[in-house]
Amino acid sequence: MLGNQTKMAEFILLGFREFYELQTLLFLTFLVIYVGTITGNILTFALIVFDQHLHTPMYFFLGNLSFLEACCSSNIFPRMLLALITGDRRISYNSCLTQWYLFGSLEAAECFLLCVMSYDRYLAICKPLHYATTMKTQTSIHLAAASWFSGFIACLILLILILQLMFCGPNEMDHYFCEYFPLLRLSCSDTSVLEIASYIVAVIFTFPPFVLTITSYVYIIAAILRIPSATGRQKAFSTCSSHLIVVSIFYGTLMIEYMIPKSTENREMQKISSLLYTALSPLANPFIYSLRNKEVKNSLRNNIRKLVR
């Protein structure tokens, strides 16, 4: 009997059950968000892959970020949309752990990738004469690969610990996808070790990239302020402003989510606030880069003209 308790067959994601009468509206809203996210990120990724003018380290990292955001949204939204339209909120044990692992790994990888992108901008603005020799193609590939690898390794440690838990019931998860802490609340095992482990992993794998990102931008802003001409300052800032906005949105939404007290009364607020980093950041990123980056806009115009002709 104990062996049967260790692995629950399925969970039920309660989602936005309090807004039952608005299920159709929620479905249409999230469908628009998902389509916009996928279209924007895949289009950005495709432009960077096929346009030779965008084959530089900065756009290589942006292409990685766009692909990551598309993967992250596709990990959550299709199942959520299916649950809203059909009312079937069941998710198998294996699918739930897979969804959490992919989400956590991609979020951790994004921390590293944003750090690498800030380092790239630091070299371009603060050490322009050494940029070409430091940020070579091979170096860019190694940094991007390390970002992906570190993200998946970070959450693999927690996944191994989660697999040791027992889930005896209930199986109703008060969330719209398999999140870490709602999942732990369903376990009938002692989860104190996992809670401590999650904070240790966060400190080791996500806090250093955050500090390095902030440090890079301190040096970047200081270097820009030392430029004598206003035109020079504007030109220098325009090369990193898009990334700075993306970093602000990503870490800002995460802080809003994790600064809210984890109490029963705040469960609905937690679900709504989690939409900020699962929906807002992936949706906003491609539009921020396309609207604020002349090279991306020019590439998009040129490719549209070619298609029209």
Side-chain angles (χ1 to χ4, degrees):
M1 289 179 65
L2 184 60
N4 292 334
Q5 287 179 330
T6 60
K7 185 176 179 180
M8 190 173 291
E10 64 182 17
F11 297 104
I12 298 175
L13 299 173
L14 297 179
F16 300 96
R17 59 176 180 172
E18 286 76 9
F19 306 101
Y20 179 78
E21 66 281 359
L22 301 174
Q23 297 296 292
T24 303
L25 179 61
L26 288 174
F27 171 79
L28 293 174
T29 301
F30 292 138
L31 179 62
V32 170
I33 291 173
Y34 179 59
V35 171
T37 300
I38 292 298
T39 302
N41 283 289
I42 294 300
L43 181 59
T44 303
F45 178 76
L47 284 174
I48 292 168
V49 169
F50 294 109
D51 194 327
Q52 295 291 329
H53 297 94
L54 300 180
H55 288 184
T56 63
M58 183 178 76
Y59 292 110
F60 172 72
F61 296 133
L62 175 57
N64 274 267
L65 180 64
S66 298
F67 181 72
L68 184 149
E69 297 286 28
C71 290
C72 194
S73 295
S74 296
N75 180 46
I76 294 176
F77 278 88
R79 183 175 291 277
M80 182 172 68
L81 290 170
L82 185 65
L84 285 170
I85 199 66
T86 64
D88 185 3
R89 294 179 171 81
R90 294 174 298 172
I91 182 171
S92 69
Y93 173 86
N94 291 334
S95 296
C96 184
L97 291 191
T98 301
Q99 186 184 60
W100 167 78
Y101 175 66
L102 288 175
F103 173 76
S105 299
L106 291 169
E107 289 293 296
E110 185 167 354
C111 289
F112 286 99
L113 197 55
L114 290 174
C115 178
V116 168
M117 293 174 74
S118 66
Y119 175 65
D120 173 73
R121 291 300 84 204
Y122 162 76
L123 289 177
I125 293 173
C126 300
K127 299 182 183 295
L129 298 178
H130 302 281
Y131 181 76
T133 56
T134 305
M135 191 59 70
K136 298 177 181 178
T137 301
Q138 190 175 13
T139 305
S140 303
I141 295 172
H142 287 164
L143 288 172
S147 298
W148 286 89
F149 179 76
S150 300
F152 279 83
I153 286 297
C155 287
L156 181 60
I157 298 168
L158 296 178
L159 178 63
I160 293 171
L161 293 174
I162 289 177
L163 289 172
Q164 312 306 314
L165 296 178
M166 292 190 299
F167 292 91
C168 317
N171 67 340
E172 292 185 340
M173 189 181 301
D174 195 8
H175 217 285
Y176 58 89
F177 74 101
C178 287
E179 251 278 45
Y180 184 73
F181 287 106
L183 180 62
L184 293 189
R185 281 195 287 266
L186 294 183
S187 174
C188 52
S189 303
D190 181 10
T191 60
S192 57
V193 173
L194 259 167
E195 291 175 7
I196 295 171
S198 66
Y199 289 114
I200 294 174
V201 168
V203 168
I204 295 174
F205 287 94
T206 61
F207 186 69
F210 172 71
V211 172
L212 290 173
T213 301
I214 297 299
T215 303
S216 295
Y217 271 100
V218 169
Y219 280 103
I220 289 171
I221 293 172
I224 291 174
L225 293 176
R226 286 197 298 267
I227 297 174
S229 67
T231 304
R233 286 195 299 270
Q234 185 178 3
K235 184 178 179 181
F237 188 72
S238 66
T239 64
C240 63
S241 58
S242 299
H243 181 244
L244 184 57
I245 293 172
V246 168
V247 168
S248 301
I249 291 175
F250 177 74
Y251 283 109
T253 53
L254 281 180
M255 287 177 181
I256 291 173
E257 162 65 9
Y258 290 104
M259 284 175 65
I260 295 177
K262 305 297 181 185
S263 62
T264 305
E265 294 77 12
N266 286 329
R267 293 276 172 85
E268 288 308 307
M269 181 59 68
Q270 290 166 26
K271 284 190 286 186
I272 294 172
S273 64
S274 69
L275 285 171
L276 292 175
Y277 65 86
T278 58
L280 177 61
S281 184
L283 176 65
N285 289 359
F287 295 101
I288 290 171
Y289 279 108
S290 62
L291 290 174
R292 298 187 64 85
N293 193 295
K294 291 181 180 179
E295 289 180 299
V296 174
K297 286 192 288 187
N298 290 336
S299 175
L300 181 59
R301 288 195 198 99
N302 293 334
N303 282 278
I304 290 174
R305 287 169 187 166
K306 290 178 182 178
L307 291 173
V308 172
R309 290 175 185 174

